Amino acid sequence: MKTFEELGVSEQIRHAIEELGFEQPMPVQEEVIPYLLGTRNDVIALAQTGTGKTAAFGIPLLQRVDVRSHQTQAIVLCPTRELCLQIADDLNDFAKYIEGIHVVPVYGGTDIVPQIRALKKGVHIIVATPGRLIDLMEREVAQLNAVFNVVLDEADEMLNMGFSEDINTILAGVPKDRNTLLFSATMSREIEKIAKNFLQNPKEIVVGSRNEGAEHVNHIYYMVNAKDKYAALKRIVDYNPRIFAIIFCRTKLETQEVADKLIRDGYNAESLHGDLSQQQRDLTMAKFRQHTVQLLVATDVAARGLDVDDLTHVINYGLPNDIESYTHRSGRTGRAGKKGTSISIVHTKEKSKIRAIEKEIQKEFVRGEIPSPEEICKKQLYKVMDQIVKTDVDEEQIGPFMQDINRYFEYIDKDDIIKKIVSMEFGKFLSYYADAPEIERVEEKKKKGERREDRGERKGERGPRKPEKGYKRLFINLGKKDGFYPGEAMQFINRHVGGRVPVGHIDLQNTISFFEVPEREARKVMNALNGAWYKSREVRCNDADATPAERGTSGGKVRDFRRPKARFSRSHEQPEQHKFKKEDWMQFLNPNGMKKNKELKGEDPDFSEEGWARRRPKKKG
C-alpha cells in the first residue's frame, strides 16, 4: 500500500490529514488522488458512502488551487444542504495549513444574501446544491469561467431527486477543458448518459464491485403482516440493547408516526424529514451525531449527508422503491472496517424485491426470526447486569455518604438489594412482555391465489397497492419507455404544479405509472398535469382508484387499468361473468354491425348462467 506522500500529496495537506487521523490512503483515495492531480483526467468512481471519497476528490482539488488568484477554480455539486456543509467542513479541515484558501458552501432553504457577499469576496472552491448554484449563476455572482475541476458527489441521488436538468445546465456553463469527477454508489442508465455527454474518455474506478453493498454489512429480513410491523420493530430494537440506528421510512407522514410511537413508548428517538424547519433538522442531526439520540427515524432525502461512522444498524421499515436507495441506506453502516447490519421489515409481497436486491448487490439476505419475549428479557437483563458491574465508583465522592447508606440498608438482605436494583432498570420490559401481543409467523410459501395477486400487483393489472394513510394514488400515462424515471417524474410534477409537492410511493411501469401525493394536493396535481405535454406526448393524470365514470369528471378519458379490457369474440364460448352495457352485448352478438337483435331492447343483459340460458338457441322438435 502506498503512502500519501507517494501519491503526490503536498506536505501542507499531509500535515492536516495526519492530525485528523489519516494514516494510510484508502483504496478509493489511492486510485483517484494521483489521477486527479493530472490535467484533463475525467473519472467515474463507483464507491459506497464511508469509503473515504471526500478526501479522494478533496485533496486534489485543494492541491491544484492557485491561492494567488481570487477566481473560482473548482465546484462540488451534492444533493442536500447537510452533505454540502459536511463536504465544505472537511475541505476546510484538509486545508488547515494552506494560507489564503477560501471554500464556501451555498445551498437553498436559507437567505441568499450572505452567500452572495461571500462569493463577491472571492472564493476558490464552491460546494453547492444544484438549484442554488444556478440561481447564483443567473445573478452573475457565481463566475465559473475559470473552473478546471468539477465534482458530482452522490450523482445517482441527485438524479433521483430530479436535478438532471440543473446538472446539465451547470456543466454546460463551465469550461470544457476541465477535470470532471462523477462519484456514485451505483452505475445507472442516467449516470452513463451524463458520462457520455459531459465526460471525455473517463477512467472508471470501482471500489468493491459495481452496484455492491458495503463489504462489512450483514443483510437480514423479517417477514411479518402489515399490522405487526411496529411491534416487530420494537422487538428488534429491544433485542439489541446497544443499538445506534437509522430507521428509514418511505414517507414523511410514516416517519413522524413511527417516531411519535417510539417516543411515546419510552425510546430515545427523533424524526428527520422535510416538513421540519432547518433549525429543527440541524438540532436533531447534532444530537444524533453526539449519541444523545439513539434512534433516528428518517426519510431517504432528509438523511442524505448524515455521516456517522459508528452506526450499528440500518432498519428499513419497508423496502425502498429502487435498489439504489437500498444500497445508499445499507452503506451507512459497516464503515471504517466495522461490522454493520441492515435489517428490513417486509411483508410477503416484498419478497420479490429481496431477491432483486440480492441479485444486484451479490449478497444473500438471511431470514430472521422475530425474537421471543423470553429472549428479549434475557438480553436486557444481561445489559443491566453489565452496566452495574462496569460502573466506576468514585470512592472519594461517595465516601462521605457510605455510613448513612450502610445504616439504611443494614437490615435488608443482599439478594433483596440486588433484585430491587435490577427491577428498577429491568421492570418495564418484564411488564410489557408479560402481556405482549403475539406476532404471527408469516410463511413464505404462497397459495395459488396469493401468487396470482402478487403477479397482478407487479404487472399493474390487478390488486392495486393501497396508498399510505393521508395520501391518494394517481395514475399517469407515462412510463419507463418514455424515459419517465423517479428523478424525471419529480421534476415534471414540480415544474407543472409549482413548488415542491410531497410525493410518496412511485410505481413505474413500461407505459404507465402510479404515484402517491397528499390527498389535499391530489386535485391540484391532476388539474396541473392533465393536458400537459411530455416529449411530444399529451399527459393524462387521474385518480387511480376512482371508477371510470368518476375519472371522466376529473379531466381526460382514460381506460381503467385496474381490470383487463373485455375481449369480444364471434365464438359461442361463454365469457367471464361480468355486467356489460347494452351496446357491448350488441357488439358481441353482431360484430359487423349488420344485424339488429330485437331482444336487446329491454334491460341490460348479463353473462350469468341464467342470462346465458335465456339467449341460448332452442332445439327444434
Side-chain angles (χ1 to χ4, degrees), residues 60-254:
L61 290 191
L62 294 167
Q63 190 159 325
R64 294 193 66 203
V65 164
D66 181 2
V67 293
R68 295 169 297 180
S69 170
H70 294 291
Q71 291 181 302
T72 300
Q73 299 163 44
I75 57 174
V76 180
L77 297 179
C78 50
T80 65
R81 174 188 190 273
E82 290 75 26
L83 186 56
C84 178
L85 288 168
Q86 181 183 309
I87 292 172
D89 287 343
D90 288 343
L91 293 183
N92 281 315
D93 288 339
F94 301 156
K96 181 178 179 180
Y97 296 105
I98 302 177
E99 291 186 13
I101 196 165
H102 295 289
V103 179
V104 173
V106 295
Y107 44 84
T110 188
D111 188 4
I112 197 172
V113 176
Q115 296 175 4
I116 291 174
R117 289 200 202 102
L119 294 185
K120 284 184 176 179
K121 290 179 182 178
V123 55
H124 298 109
I125 300 175
I126 297 176
V127 186
T129 54
R132 178 51 61 92
L133 183 57
I134 286 180
D135 196 356
L136 293 165
M137 290 169 65
E138 290 173 348
R139 295 172 186 240
E140 299 184 352
V141 179
Q143 302 287 341
L144 307 182
N145 54 306
V147 167
F148 55 82
N149 269 314
V150 177
V151 177
L152 279 69
D153 191 21
E154 300 204 1
D156 49 351
E157 186 63 22
M158 284 194 283
L159 295 176
N160 285 337
M161 292 171 65
F163 288 128
S164 177
E165 288 186 11
D166 292 346
I167 292 172
N168 291 339
T169 301
I170 293 168
L171 292 180
V174 296
K176 292 184 179 179
D177 186 21
R178 65 174 187 268
N179 280 351
T180 306
L181 172 59
L182 192 153
F183 259 112
S184 177
T186 57
M187 180 59 109
S188 64
R189 194 179 307 168
E190 292 84 359
I191 295 293
E192 290 177 343
K193 186 177 178 182
I194 283 188
K196 182 179 179 181
N197 291 339
F198 294 102
L199 277 66
Q200 295 184 15
N201 301 318
K203 178 181 181 181
E204 185 174 312
I205 297 172
V206 181
V207 180
S209 62
R210 277 173 165 239
N211 299 333
E212 184 183 7
E215 181 71 22
H216 302 286
V217 178
N218 299 318
H219 301 268
I220 301 173
Y221 73 96
Y222 295 90
M223 190 166 288
V224 298
N225 292 314
K227 64 182 178 65
D228 294 326
K229 280 179 70 175
Y230 178 71
L233 173 65
K234 281 191 60 168
R235 289 200 184 190
I236 292 166
V237 170
D238 290 343
Y239 188 69
N240 297 277
R242 305 187 189 283
I243 191 171
F244 179 56
I246 300 178
I247 301 168
F248 282 102
C249 297
R250 285 181 178 173
T251 66
K252 291 181 281 189
L253 183 63
E254 183 180 61

Side-chain angles (χ1 to χ4, degrees), residues 388 405-406 408-424:
I388 293 172
I405 292 172
N406 289 328
Y408 193 87
F409 290 111
E410 185 177 359
Y411 300 105
I412 301 178
D413 186 69
K414 174 187 172 183
D415 289 343
D416 287 340
I417 294 177
I418 293 174
K419 290 176 185 177
K420 289 177 184 294
I421 292 173
V422 171
S423 296
M424 285 176 62

